[in-house]
Amino acid sequence: RAGALAKLGQAETFLSDTWHRGMVLKQWLLEYNTSQWEFFRSSSPVENDLLEARFHVANAEVFTEVVKESDRAIRELDRGEKSLEAARTVVEANLISQLSTVQEEMKAAEAHEQDGDALSAASFETIKADLDHLIEIVRVSNA
């Protein structure tokens, strides 16, 4: 009886993990398609750099949450950081502190991955939300 309950618990965990990975992939596919349109309608180099950084964060999330490949996630986060460095050279001075905050979040995410501590989905969502906020500010200021 205890063995059957343990197997039932394992099956429940497996199904929950599979569902979660499927949802992350579904969200990534939507983000990927949206990002292609966002790049197309980008109005400035800084917006393009921020969109690029966000795209790499979304990729890192998939490599962490679904594929379980920390090395690839680290490479994506590094690419995102490079995009933010490019944005830093052209972003308006009033956005430097917000950009720095996102850079620190990404560096922390990369450190977690390097230490073998997979970043939580909530942390990826925070980084993406912060990037979305910066992108919106840039769009409004260019309108």
Side-chain angles (χ1 to χ4, degrees):
R1 181 146 166 87
L5 285 176
K7 287 185 182 197
L8 184 60
Q10 289 173 343
E12 180 182 7
T13 300
F14 173 79
L15 289 174
S16 177
D17 289 347
T18 301
W19 179 85
H20 176 72
R21 287 193 308 273
M23 294 306 294
V24 170
L25 276 175
K26 180 181 174 184
Q27 180 183 5
W28 177 84
L29 184 58
L30 290 170
E31 288 180 2
Y32 175 80
N33 289 332
T34 300
S35 70
Q36 298 310 306
W37 286 106
E38 296 292 327
F39 284 125
F40 179 71
R41 74 176 210 149
S42 175
S43 62
S44 69
V46 69
E47 181 180 352
N48 208 31
D49 290 334
L50 293 172
L51 288 166
E52 185 78 21
R54 192 188 187 293
F55 176 74
H56 290 298
V57 171
N59 288 346
E61 180 179 26
V62 168
F63 288 129
T64 296
E65 297 274 321
V66 178
V67 185
K68 309 290 187 205
E69 292 188 21
S70 291
D71 291 344
R72 290 176 78 183
I74 290 167
R75 282 195 301 269
E76 287 297 320
L77 289 168
D78 187 52
R79 288 176 182 140
E81 288 176 42
K82 287 177 181 161
S83 295
L84 291 181
E85 278 303 315
R88 181 179 283 282
T89 64
V90 291
V91 74
E92 293 179 21
N94 63 329
L95 297 179
I96 292 292
S97 67
Q98 290 175 325
L99 184 65
S100 295
T101 298
V102 175
Q103 285 180 298
E104 292 303 316
E105 290 170 346
M106 288 179 69
K107 286 177 185 174
E110 190 172 342
H112 279 289
E113 288 294 329
Q114 288 173 343
D115 291 343
D117 301 329
L119 199 61
S120 73
S123 297
F124 282 113
E125 292 305 316
T126 298
I127 296 169
K128 290 188 300 185
D130 289 346
L131 282 166
D132 288 341
H133 181 72
L134 273 170
I135 292 164
E136 190 59 32
I137 291 170
V138 168
R139 283 185 183 148
V140 169
S141 68
N142 289 332

